[in-house]
Amino acid sequence: MRFEFNIEPVEQARPRATRMGKGIRLYDPKKVNAFKKRLGMLARQQMLDRGLEPFDGPLEVCMEFHRPVQTSISKKERARRLSGVHRPTVKPDLSNYIKALEDGLNGIIWIDDNRIVQIVAEKKYSDRPRIVIEVNKVDEVEK
């Protein structure tokens, strides 16, 4: 099942902490929290439109993170990046994009991100920032 979200990818950042009485409460930074809420809203709508429930069982997820090209580069370099000749080897890390996506889609696309047993992920440059995922159930092999 393929999903496309017209939202700029945001990386999972270190959690912030605040004191609550004798304990400590951890929370996402504002930018990450806003991203997860918006992503969740977009995903809920697509699941509702297709009449789907969150996926359960072992899942394979393919992810593409299309990020904008930096503005401070030459036209020639911009063309290289958009064509895929030069890939984004800059921060944020791909693993941080993955974590934010997994958490943002918990309970919406999948029951929980612990159901994901295989990931294929890429980050690319694009004039149209977005996230594309494909979710497939993995057949369990009996031994």
Side-chain angles (χ1 to χ4, degrees):
M1 181 76 45
R2 188 174 192 277
F3 300 89
E4 186 167 328
F5 307 108
N6 291 317
I7 185 173
E8 186 172 330
V10 171
E11 73 279 9
Q12 179 65 50
R14 292 189 186 277
R16 305 294 187 250
T18 186
R19 291 192 186 277
M20 301 273 299
K22 292 184 179 184
I24 294 177
R25 179 180 161 279
L26 296 175
Y27 62 94
D28 281 329
K30 202 176 277 189
K31 180 180 175 183
V32 177
N33 191 33
F35 167 77
K36 288 179 181 179
K37 283 183 180 176
R38 176 113 173 92
L39 179 65
M41 186 182 73
L42 294 170
R44 254 187 221 92
Q45 189 60 55
Q46 286 193 36
M47 293 293 281
L48 190 63
D49 290 349
R50 298 176 188 190
L52 297 173
E53 292 293 319
F55 293 98
D56 198 1
L59 302 172
E60 171 197 59
V61 182
C62 299
M63 308 171 180
E64 291 179 8
F65 300 94
H66 297 262
R67 52 169 289 155
V69 179
Q70 298 87 332
T71 54
S72 60
I73 58 171
S74 69
K75 287 182 182 178
K76 196 173 188 179
E77 179 58 24
R78 179 178 176 75
R80 283 189 196 111
R81 291 180 184 193
L82 290 174
S83 71
V85 171
H86 287 175
R87 299 286 295 270
T89 56
V90 296
K91 289 194 181 269
D93 300 349
L94 181 60
S95 58
N96 292 333
Y97 278 150
I98 293 169
K99 188 63 184 151
L101 180 86
E102 287 175 337
D103 291 348
L105 297 178
N106 267 343
I108 302 168
I109 301 274
W110 38 74
I111 299 283
D112 191 87
D113 58 352
N114 65 7
R115 301 301 197 278
I116 300 171
V117 298
Q118 184 174 344
I119 293 176
V120 176
E122 301 181 75
K123 60 180 179 176
K124 301 176 176 184
Y125 286 117
S126 177
D127 274 339
R128 191 171 62 90
R130 65 194 182 283
I131 299 170
V132 179
I133 67 167
E134 189 170 319
V135 181
N136 297 302
K137 289 188 175 185
V138 175
D139 293 328
E140 295 188 72
V141 180
E142 288 189 37
K143 289 189 176 186

